[in-house]
Amino acid sequence: MIDLKGIYSIVGQPSLFKLITATKNGCIFEHLVTNAKTSVNNVNTKYSALEEIAIYTKDDQKQIAEIMKIIFDKENGGKCPDAKVDDKTALAYFETIFPEYDKSRVYLNNIRKLFSWYNLLQETNNLKVKEVTADAASEEQTKLHTTKEQHNNFNAAQNNNVKMKTSTGIKRTAGVRKTGVA
């Protein structure tokens, strides 16, 4: 499995970013290529951790870290086809490395994005293989599920203007007007 911890994709940005720190209203990221720092607001911009992204299979989903590991092994740590390669070549290559993907839910642009991310990580020396034991894999899946659930609960609470419990145990009101007049 490829270690994608701390690597993020920001919607609208063509590159990948490394998480520096979380702030009160968002996060600060560092561009993988230029090392420029970018502040992202949680309200206006969406971002995704690469370790949480999965590709549909016929039965379930498979993490892109596992798919990147397959590409890494096939290419011996080298580059995979460019994201701008013609459609038939991209689909044929992806079919050879991951034949069990769901053709009805995985689109060509998803495959191109995966190739682009893999090549960017390879160029910036961020392709690190991590060894996973069976116990660690199940623990990681449980932790990932819990983290996603907490993230979704936090976003739902913010979007619905509900009282929520923070990590310190103190309730705070998110976006509720105190005067009672709308």
Side-chain angles (χ1 to χ4, degrees), residues 95-148:
E95 181 76 30
T96 61
I97 62 162
F98 189 50
E100 63 266 14
Y101 81 99
D102 187 351
K103 293 174 179 67
S104 64
R105 296 194 288 177
V106 178
Y107 303 107
L108 184 62
N109 62 344
N110 302 124
I111 295 168
R112 291 183 188 281
K113 181 70 77 173
L114 176 68
F115 290 170
S116 156
W117 287 344
Y118 177 87
N119 285 333
L120 181 66
L121 290 169
Q122 195 272 337
E123 289 170 7
T124 58
N125 295 323
N126 284 303
L127 274 178
K128 298 175 182 95
V129 179
K130 69 176 179 180
E131 295 300 320
V132 179
T133 62
D135 292 337
S138 65
E139 182 180 314
E140 187 70 26
Q141 284 293 344
T142 305
K143 188 171 91 176
L144 181 63
H145 180 69
T146 305
T147 304
K148 281 183 184 179

Side-chain angles (χ1 to χ4, degrees), residues 1 21 38 50 54 58 63 76 82 85 98 104 129 134 136 142 153:
M1 215 170 168
T21 188
T38 303
L50 260 58
K58 292 174 180 135
Q63 298 294 322
N76 294 322
D82 192 80
V85 73
F98 189 50
S104 64
V129 179
T142 305
N153 290 343

Side-chain angles (χ1 to χ4, degrees), residues 69-82:
K69 175 69 168 115
I70 295 168
I71 296 172
F72 184 83
D73 292 341
K74 179 175 172 57
E75 300 297 330
N76 294 322
K79 286 186 160 194
C80 70
D82 192 80

Side-chain angles (χ1 to χ4, degrees), residues 153-180:
N153 290 343
F154 178 76
N155 285 341
Q158 277 190 325
N159 292 339
N160 295 330
N161 295 332
V162 201
K163 287 185 178 182
M164 59 176 270
K165 191 171 183 177
T166 63
S167 61
T168 58
I170 301 169
K171 290 186 178 180
R172 70 175 187 170
T173 306
V176 176
R177 196 170 241 196
K178 300 289 185 198
T179 60

